[in-house]
Amino acid sequence: QVQLVESGGGLVQPGGSLRLSCAASGSIFSINDMGWYRQTPGKQRELVAVISSGGGTNYADFVKGRFTISRDNAKNTVYLQTNSLKPEDTAVYYCYAGIRRSPLTSTMGYWGQGTQVTVSS
């Protein structure tokens, strides 16, 4: 069994910062891509940022220059540093990881439970 547990969400004023964390645990052989997505009511989940196992990153245009994704492979953890937050960044943020549970299995996608980020004065 694999679990992704997120933390770090909350209420912040416009212009503020939050650091989100997501730790993967359980039966894990290797982790490929890890990423963050977000969703608001009535809208589809959208990619925020993704990082490969080698450290290559990709960002949605609406967060470039403001958010930074990083990972600690020894801890099976991915982070999202969010700066210069705007009210339109308000959403539930979900962690994603592509995980192989053994050398004999293929990569499967796993999701965290989501953490609420609210940007408001």
Side-chain angles (χ1 to χ4, degrees):
Q1 192 172 354
V2 172
Q3 273 192 315
L4 299 182
V5 179
E6 298 140 339
S7 60
L11 173 65
V12 63
Q13 292 187 339
S17 300
L18 286 173
R19 189 188 194 213
L20 308 183
S21 301
C22 172
S25 63
S27 178
I28 297 172
F29 171 71
S30 65
I31 303 178
N32 298 328
D33 288 356
M34 303 185 82
W36 291 93
Y37 290 70
R38 69 186 189 186
Q39 189 170 22
T40 54
K43 293 188 177 181
Q44 286 191 327
R45 194 171 294 188
E46 60 183 0
L47 173 69
V48 175
V50 64
I51 184 168
S52 70
S53 57
T57 59
N58 191 32
Y59 294 91
D61 286 343
F62 52 78
V63 302
K64 283 182 179 177
R66 299 189 298 124
F67 292 8
T68 302
I69 190 170
S70 60
R71 64 190 283 174
D72 184 333
N73 291 331
K75 296 181 178 179
N76 291 337
T77 299
V78 62
Y79 306 95
L80 186 69
Q81 178 66 44
T82 67
N83 298 327
S84 302
L85 283 162
K86 305 175 182 179
E88 51 263 44
D89 293 318
T90 296
V92 178
Y93 284 70
Y94 294 91
C95 168
Y96 167 87
I99 294 173
R100 292 180 68 189
R101 295 183 62 186
S102 81
L104 301 178
T105 58
S106 58
T107 300
M108 292 184 62
Y110 292 85
W111 294 91
Q113 80 285 358
T115 185
Q116 177 70 47
V117 171
T118 302
V119 185
S120 175
S121 55

